[in-house]
Amino acid sequence: RTPSKTEAQMMLSMAAMWNFKPAAGACCELHEVVGELEALTRRLAGAECSDNNFEPVMQCSTCGVMLNADDAREQRCCYCEADLATVRQTVSPKCDDRGVKRMAL
């Protein structure tokens, strides 16, 4: 499992790159971003199912991020930049015997 701290950091880092209208009456930037994430989550939850798949082949043991084949070829974690040649790599318990986890986006 990817640690919740890593998940939160990734979500906030990604949302920091978005240009959105500031919410009226927001108490702070953090909760403004959280409101934007909640709105996006509601839109995605209501979307039609999709067969787009992210196929992780390993998990970085440094930060817990799931990595795809491109990351594995680069030998560097796309999130924490750990050298994959020197860190222990695991596959998710939800992956099949090839290390592939289907995830609709």
Side-chain angles (χ1 to χ4, degrees):
R1 168 123 176 100
T2 302
S4 60
K5 180 179 179 179
T6 300
E7 292 172 334
Q9 288 173 336
M10 291 180 78
M11 291 297 294
L12 292 174
S13 294
M14 185 173 40
M17 294 184 278
W18 302 345
N19 181 11
F20 56 89
K21 184 178 178 179
C27 61
C28 65
E29 289 183 18
L30 170 66
H31 290 110
E32 199 169 77
V33 170
V34 169
E36 195 70 20
L37 291 169
E38 288 174 335
L40 175 60
T41 300
R42 284 191 300 276
R43 287 193 305 272
L44 290 172
E48 290 185 31
C49 292
S50 170
D51 60 359
N52 292 334
N53 293 307
F54 170 70
E55 297 185 359
V57 296
M58 68 178 66
Q59 183 173 21
C60 176
S61 63
T62 301
C63 68
V65 167
M66 297 302 294
L67 304 167
N68 62 26
D70 291 336
D71 299 317
R73 279 190 290 280
E74 293 290 324
Q75 288 292 299
R76 187 155 305 280
C77 175
C78 63
Y79 184 69
C80 74
E81 298 187 359
D83 182 352
L84 298 178
T86 61
V87 298
R88 183 180 55 82
Q89 303 156 16
T90 60
V91 282
S92 167
K94 292 185 178 182
C95 293
D96 65 18
D97 59 349
R98 296 175 300 134
V100 175
K101 176 182 173 187
R102 299 283 180 189
M103 184 183 305
L105 301 175

